Amino acid sequence: MELIADHISKRIKNKLILSDINLQLISGNIYGFVGRNGSGKTMLFRALSGLMKVDSGKIRLDGKRLRKDMDILPNLGIVLENAGLYPEFTGFDNLEIFAKINKKIGKNEIKEAIRRVGLDPEDKRSYRKYSLGMKQRIVLAQAIMEHPDILMLDEPTNALDEDGVNEIRQVILEEKERGALILVASHNKEDIRILADQVFYMEQGKLINKEEFM
């Protein structure tokens, strides 16, 4: 699977937030995105996923054009800020609600995803009572539960302790071994060092350089 961004740009309120971005991303790899807050990483993920329309340029998945042949990337798992989970429901109930949209998986797959991120699928606490780390884990469980072809993870180890960080990194590496195309934005330099096959640096909406990350 190949995801291509061809000279994509986006302006919001006269501010250029993505500037002439070119990318070629291929399944089975983890791509790291590094940059300060406001550098454009999250906006790039929104654009590549189809959650945000670009002003110019093209985004193609295996030759099919986003916003023309499809509204959003198919079989996508994504972690962004403001997850949109229901605070009054349990983690399992939240994931079951989302699973019913695509009808790809059942209760067993949901429970497996929750266990993989280190949570108990039988936990009866509501999402609002979760710690920040637990909320981060359940959002990742939602992203991986349908075995997506593409994963976009914005700060996936945020709010986790050392053990949690290691657990989530292992899950991400397992998804790579499964053959997923993975994008990771992180302020944690160790995340990028351990996970990324290739790193892209962003500044003021631009890719300023790229290099193989050893």
Side-chain angles (χ1 to χ4, degrees), residues 29 40 80 100 106 121 139 156 192:
N29 292 289
L80 294 174
K100 286 179 179 177
V139 168
I192 300 300

Side-chain angles (χ1 to χ4, degrees), residues 137-208:
R137 290 172 187 254
I138 200 68
V139 168
L140 183 62
Q142 179 195 338
I144 66 171
M145 67 182 182
E146 294 182 335
H147 311 293
D149 294 327
I150 301 172
L151 271 170
M152 295 186 185
L153 308 175
D154 192 5
E155 303 293 344
T157 61
N158 189 40
L160 297 176
D161 59 20
E162 185 176 352
D163 288 342
V165 168
N166 290 332
E167 285 179 326
I168 296 313
R169 286 175 183 160
Q170 184 58 39
V171 170
I172 294 170
L173 290 170
E174 289 170 0
E175 291 298 297
K176 173 189 172 180
E177 288 300 309
R178 187 176 58 78
L181 165 55
I182 304 174
L183 289 69
V184 176
S186 181
H187 286 102
N188 188 324
K189 293 180 180 179
E190 282 292 287
D191 282 348
I192 300 300
R193 185 185 69 80
I194 291 170
L195 296 173
D197 299 297
Q198 187 174 2
V199 182
F200 297 92
Y201 299 87
M202 292 198 72
E203 187 175 283
Q204 296 181 339
K206 298 179 179 179
L207 292 180
I208 54 175

Side-chain angles (χ1 to χ4, degrees), residues 8-38:
I8 64 171
S9 295
K10 176 69 176 182
R11 188 179 294 272
I12 294 180
K13 294 182 179 179
N14 292 323
K15 182 180 179 181
L16 194 61
I17 60 169
L18 293 176
S19 177
D20 198 33
I21 300 287
N22 290 287
L23 288 169
Q24 182 182 25
L25 310 176
I26 297 173
S27 293
N29 292 289
I30 298 176
Y31 298 93
F33 291 81
V34 178
R36 297 178 180 178
N37 286 338

Side-chain angles (χ1 to χ4, degrees), residues 111-121 133-134 137-138 140-141 144 164 167-168 171:
K111 290 179 179 179
E112 178 192 6
I114 294 173
R115 291 190 190 101
R116 284 184 67 196
V117 300
L119 295 178
D120 179 5
M134 291 174 68
R137 290 172 187 254
I138 200 68
L140 183 62
I144 66 171
E167 285 179 326
I168 296 313
V171 170

